[in-house]
């Protein structure tokens, strides 16, 4: 079974629109970490955020915000007022028990058109 | 601060050959992980090394192996290459506190392997 599911394969929006990328995870561990990574066309994965299972506070960083809900096993990512530079593939990932073994979702390709 | 460096960036091999990929982590990072990225399977964990020891291993056949040197540089080797091994191989390093997980992986640009 997939531990991390990103149901949206590809999303296209027009610049300045808000967009939410969904992530649903599955784990039996009580201690786990959730991540979002961005992979621009250049290929290098860039870390965006980490959340541990004991911290359900939502986080905002500029135009980016993350909504972590343990009740629904979701860790969604919202980009407000999207820009063309946000075009990339975004990956959600899970690490269980504090190990450097990440389970990545299949990624959501975001296309932001001018 | 230099990032994670992977060499070679691109390589072409034929079935049955073997290949060695190299990864130099960020200075001070002692944990190095390897991932395989393909369009069909996405990003899959291969293995992780810390202080020259393999700590975690993914579900890949024994043809995939790796090692880490005392300077934290790591290599991975794939023997008897198959067409399905064509992929982008990503190396990631992370800082650890006494070997403990700190969470953030820093990725290299990858080595793109094509098997003909």
């Amino acid at each position: 079974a997939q531990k991390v599911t990103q149901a949206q394969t590809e999303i296209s929006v027009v610049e300045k629109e808000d967009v939410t990328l969904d992530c649903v995870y599955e784990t039996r561990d009580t201690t786990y970490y959730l991540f979002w990574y961005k992979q621009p066309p250049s290929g290098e994965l860039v870390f965006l955020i980490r959340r541990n299972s004991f911290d359900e506070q939502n986080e905002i960083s500029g135009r980016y915000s993350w909504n972590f809900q343990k009740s629904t096993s979701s860790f969604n990512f919202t980009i407000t007022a999207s820009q063309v530079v946000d075009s990339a593939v975004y990956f959600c990932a899970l690490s269980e028990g504090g190990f450097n073994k990440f389970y990545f979702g299949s990624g959501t390709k975001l296309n932001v058109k001018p | 601060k230099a990032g994670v460096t992977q060499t070679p960036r691109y390589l072409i091999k034929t079935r049955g050959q073997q290949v060695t990929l190299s990864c130099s982590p960020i200075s001070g990072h002692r944990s190095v992980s390897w991932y395989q990225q393909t369009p069909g399977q996405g990003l899959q964990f291969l293995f992780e090394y810390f202080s020259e020891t393999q700590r975690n291993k993914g579900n890949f056949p024994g043809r995939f192996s790796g090692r880490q040197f005392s300077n934290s540089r790591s290599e991975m080797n794939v023997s008897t290459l198959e067409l399905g091994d064509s992929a982008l191989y990503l190396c990631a390093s992370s800082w650890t506190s006494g070997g403990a997980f700190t969470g953030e992986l820093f990725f290299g640009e990858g080595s793109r392997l094509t098997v003909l």
Side-chain angles (χ1 to χ4, degrees), chain B residues 38-112:
Chain B
T38 59
Q41 299 297 317
L43 277 154
Q44 293 186 286
F45 173 79
L46 280 155
F47 26 64
E48 184 224 357
Y49 286 88
F50 175 78
S51 290
E52 301 177 66
T53 301
Q54 187 181 89
R55 290 204 298 190
N56 291 287
K57 190 175 189 307
N59 295 326
F60 279 83
R63 301 185 296 106
F64 291 81
S65 63
R67 59 177 176 168
Q68 186 181 34
F69 302 96
S70 57
N71 62 357
S72 294
R73 191 177 70 84
S74 177
E75 289 181 347
M76 68 162 282
N77 183 276
V78 188
S79 63
T80 320
L81 284 166
E82 300 176 0
L83 295 179
D85 297 333
S86 294
L88 180 66
Y89 290 88
L90 294 167
C91 171
S93 73
S94 65
W95 182 76
T96 55
S97 175
F101 177 76
T102 58
E104 183 177 345
L105 297 182
F106 293 83
F107 283 85
E109 293 181 288
S111 293
R112 186 165 295 280

Side-chain angles (χ1 to χ4, degrees), chain A residues 60-99:
Chain A
I60 298 175
S61 176
R63 297 183 297 106
Y64 295 171
S65 62
W66 292 270
N67 184 340
F68 176 26
Q69 290 196 339
K70 288 176 75 170
S71 61
T72 56
S73 297
S74 65
F75 186 44
N76 297 336
F77 173 28
T78 298
I79 301 175
T80 303
S82 59
Q83 300 176 1
V84 173
V85 293
D86 295 327
S87 296
V89 180
Y90 291 86
F91 291 94
C92 180
L94 164 73
S95 171
E96 296 171 316
F99 293 103

Side-chain angles (χ1 to χ4, degrees), chain A residues 33 35 37 39 42-47 50 91 95 98-106, chain B residues 31 33 35 37 43 45 48 55-58 88 90 94 101-105 107-109:
Chain A
Y33 297 80
F35 303 80
Y37 278 83
Q39 188 174 39
S42 62
E44 191 169 330
L45 280 148
V46 176
F47 168 84
R50 178 189 72 176
F91 291 94
S95 171
F99 293 103
N100 268 355
K101 176 179 180 179
F102 283 32
Y103 298 93
F104 282 87
S106 54
Chain B
S31 170
S33 306
Y35 288 81
Q37 186 174 26
L43 277 154
F45 173 79
E48 184 224 357
R55 290 204 298 190
N56 291 287
K57 190 175 189 307
L88 180 66
L90 294 167
S94 65
F101 177 76
T102 58
E104 183 177 345
L105 297 182
F107 283 85
E109 293 181 288

Side-chain angles (χ1 to χ4, degrees), chain B residues 24-42:
Chain B
S24 293
I26 292 172
S27 177
H29 287 191
R30 294 166 62 194
S31 170
V32 174
S33 306
W34 289 89
Y35 288 81
Q36 181 196 63
Q37 186 174 26
T38 59
Q41 299 297 317

Side-chain angles (χ1 to χ4, degrees), chain A residues 2-6 22-29 32-35 52-53 56 67-76 92-96 103:
Chain A
Q2 288 271 47
K3 284 187 175 284
V4 179
T5 302
Q6 294 180 255
D22 298 332
C23 173
V24 174
Y25 63 92
E26 179 184 335
T27 181
R28 293 183 179 180
D29 282 21
Y32 55 90
Y33 297 80
L34 295 164
F35 303 80
N52 72 55
S53 53
E56 277 193 84
N67 184 340
F68 176 26
Q69 290 196 339
K70 288 176 75 170
S71 61
T72 56
S73 297
S74 65
F75 186 44
N76 297 336
C92 180
L94 164 73
S95 171
E96 296 171 316
Y103 298 93

